Amino acid sequence: MSNTRDYIIDQAYSLFLSHSYEAVSISEISKAIGFTKGALYHHFKNKEELFMAVIDKYLIIEELDINADEITLKEFLDLNIKKAQEIINKSYSSNPAYIPLNLLSLFIDAFRHYPEFANKKQDLIHSEINKTKRILDLAVKNGEIKKDLNTSAFAEIIFTLNTGVARNLIHNIMDSETAIKIMRKQFHELYKLIKT
């Protein structure tokens, strides 16, 4: 039963990734996986429930597991690059439907059609920005970076650069190395500007 459910989720992921949530019907999903609609409804009560299962399995973005009160800003920026590389490597699967723009569209669909996902991600965003501010405050206190820095504004900038890797991937479709190089260069230049 669990294997069948996972199989349905995996096949639906390919469909939702290739098309939008609205464009994929239950009929198309059942045809693609070779199940009747009745068999599909045995595992998922509707398309929305199946979509949420796909999102829960494939759109996992975890926060960095760090102690914000013990890490330097330089170490933090390096860890962000490493985490972005891990996410990209995980996303670049053997799935032929994977194109960075498709993944971004799937994220947008998740925000539009799965309110709990949107709420969790908004909470994660706020948590990550607050953590980054604490790291910046510590960096100011320890003399790693300039004392007159607006740490709240710079926490937002760092978060924006983190999400910019998606733009880099879309601009350089299927070239994850270039996207990470750009991110690394951006963080390096930012760090040069603010360090003491």
Side-chain angles (χ1 to χ4, degrees), residues 26-170:
I26 284 291
S27 296
E28 289 168 317
I29 294 168
S30 64
K31 182 179 177 183
I33 62 176
F35 284 24
T36 64
K37 282 190 207 177
L40 189 59
Y41 285 128
H42 176 71
H43 297 279
F44 299 94
K45 67 181 179 183
N46 54 32
K47 181 175 90 167
E48 182 181 11
E49 185 179 273
L50 174 56
F51 180 72
M52 290 187 294
V54 166
I55 298 306
D56 288 343
K57 180 173 182 177
Y58 284 100
L59 296 190
I60 299 170
I61 296 181
E62 303 154 350
E63 61 183 299
L64 281 174
D65 186 19
I66 57 166
N67 184 341
D69 301 315
E70 295 180 358
I71 191 170
T72 68
L73 178 60
K74 178 75 170 93
E75 291 168 334
F76 176 67
L77 295 177
D78 289 343
L79 284 172
N80 274 276
I81 294 165
K82 183 179 177 186
K83 184 68 171 180
Q85 183 68 63
E86 288 172 9
I87 291 168
I88 290 169
N89 289 344
K90 188 176 177 182
S91 297
Y92 271 79
S93 66
S94 58
N95 189 324
Y98 178 80
I99 296 173
L101 190 55
N102 288 359
L103 187 62
L104 184 59
S105 294
L106 187 62
F107 264 101
I108 292 167
D109 277 347
F111 273 89
R112 290 174 58 211
H113 300 288
Y114 187 180
E116 293 83 15
F117 175 84
N119 292 337
K120 285 181 199 173
K121 294 309 172 214
Q122 289 297 341
D123 290 345
L124 176 65
I125 288 167
H126 293 301
S127 172
E128 286 300 300
I129 290 171
N130 289 334
K131 183 189 301 179
T132 304
K133 183 185 181 319
R134 285 175 42 213
I135 292 165
L136 287 161
D137 288 338
L138 181 63
V140 167
K141 181 182 171 188
N142 292 339
E144 182 185 2
I145 60 176
K146 297 175 182 177
K147 295 201 178 299
D148 62 344
L149 195 73
N150 180 331
T151 55
S152 295
F154 263 85
E156 296 277 353
I157 290 168
I158 289 170
F159 184 81
T160 300
L161 287 176
N162 264 324
T163 57
V165 76
R167 190 227 26 113
N168 295 340
L169 281 169
I170 292 165

